[in-house]
Amino acid sequence: MRWAHLIPAQAQVLDVACGSGRHMQYLQTHGFHVLGVDRDENSLNLAKSFGEVVCADLENAPWPLTGRQFDAVVVTNYLWRPSFADVLACLKPHGVLIYETFAQGNETVGKPSREEFLLGHGELLQICQDMRIVAYEDVFLNSPDRYVQRIVAVLADKDRTTRFAGSSDTTGKS
């Protein structure tokens, strides 16, 4: 909600791992055209009242949105590192990325607690290093207690070079 004003009016927005569509609902009520993708068909049955939905397993199948681009991409409480390049490729030039998920330290207060589901310190900054960073936090939050990392970044132009953690590919192509 805090950064939705950065998204152009009537924009196309992708909600990755949308679940039942909580963010889709907010975005749709503010005039955005939303597409949500998730693997849970039951959750998507609720989400489809807020926009278009795609049922896809983002971790065990090919990326379902290859070639599609959006004015904004929202990802919350979801981390699948192999999809970082695909998520960023979905941004149009000057597109807005809003990403928040659990970070290292969360293993001390609850779930998720496995390292592969927790962002390392500064990991979102590294992923978005070729974008214009609007906001970044690596914080502890209460009620419920959790460690999160958040970033809001804008894609500067179409021909950027993007480097991904653990990848030697610096061309922005995967």
Side-chain angles (χ1 to χ4, degrees):
M1 294 185 301
R2 183 176 170 195
W3 299 104
H5 69 278
L6 296 175
I7 305 170
Q10 302 295 312
Q12 299 286 326
V13 181
L14 170 63
D15 186 353
V16 176
C18 67
S20 60
R22 176 173 53 121
H23 297 104
M24 289 178 66
Q25 180 180 16
Y26 175 83
L27 293 163
Q28 187 250 6
T29 61
H30 285 80
F32 301 112
H33 306 281
V34 189
L35 182 146
V37 61
D38 201 289
R39 68 179 177 191
D40 185 334
E41 288 184 48
N42 291 328
S43 293
L44 289 175
N45 283 332
L46 298 169
K48 69 183 176 184
S49 61
F50 310 119
E52 182 184 351
V53 296
V54 172
C55 187
D57 185 339
L58 299 175
E59 298 170 16
N60 298 302
W63 181 252
L65 301 169
T66 300
R68 291 194 65 179
Q69 290 194 311
F70 300 84
D71 300 293
V73 175
V74 175
V75 186
T76 57
N77 298 333
Y78 181 74
L79 177 61
W80 183 247
R81 288 176 179 89
S83 71
F84 281 147
D86 293 316
V87 167
L88 294 181
C90 281
L91 283 171
K92 290 180 180 178
H94 308 287
V96 178
L97 175 67
I98 301 172
Y99 203 121
E100 175 182 322
T101 198
F102 299 97
Q104 286 178 347
N106 203 68
E107 70 280 2
T108 66
V109 296
K111 296 205 180 278
S113 58
R114 293 181 18 208
E115 184 178 333
E116 63 265 29
F117 299 122
L118 303 175
L119 288 166
H121 179 70
E123 190 170 352
L124 285 178
L125 284 172
Q126 182 179 1
I127 290 159
C128 298
Q129 67 185 355
D130 294 318
M131 299 174 74
R132 183 172 59 86
I133 306 301
V134 176
Y136 172 78
E137 293 181 323
D138 191 348
V139 298
F140 175 78
L141 302 172
N142 299 67
S143 298
D145 289 354
R146 65 204 184 279
Y147 287 83
V148 299
Q149 206 172 120
R150 304 169 168 157
I151 199 160
V152 179
V154 177
L155 186 60
D157 59 51
K158 190 168 128 183
D159 299 318
R160 89 271 189 208
T161 299
T162 305
R163 295 167 199 76
F164 301 98
S167 172
S168 60
D169 180 8
T170 59
T171 64
K173 300 174 184 166
S174 53

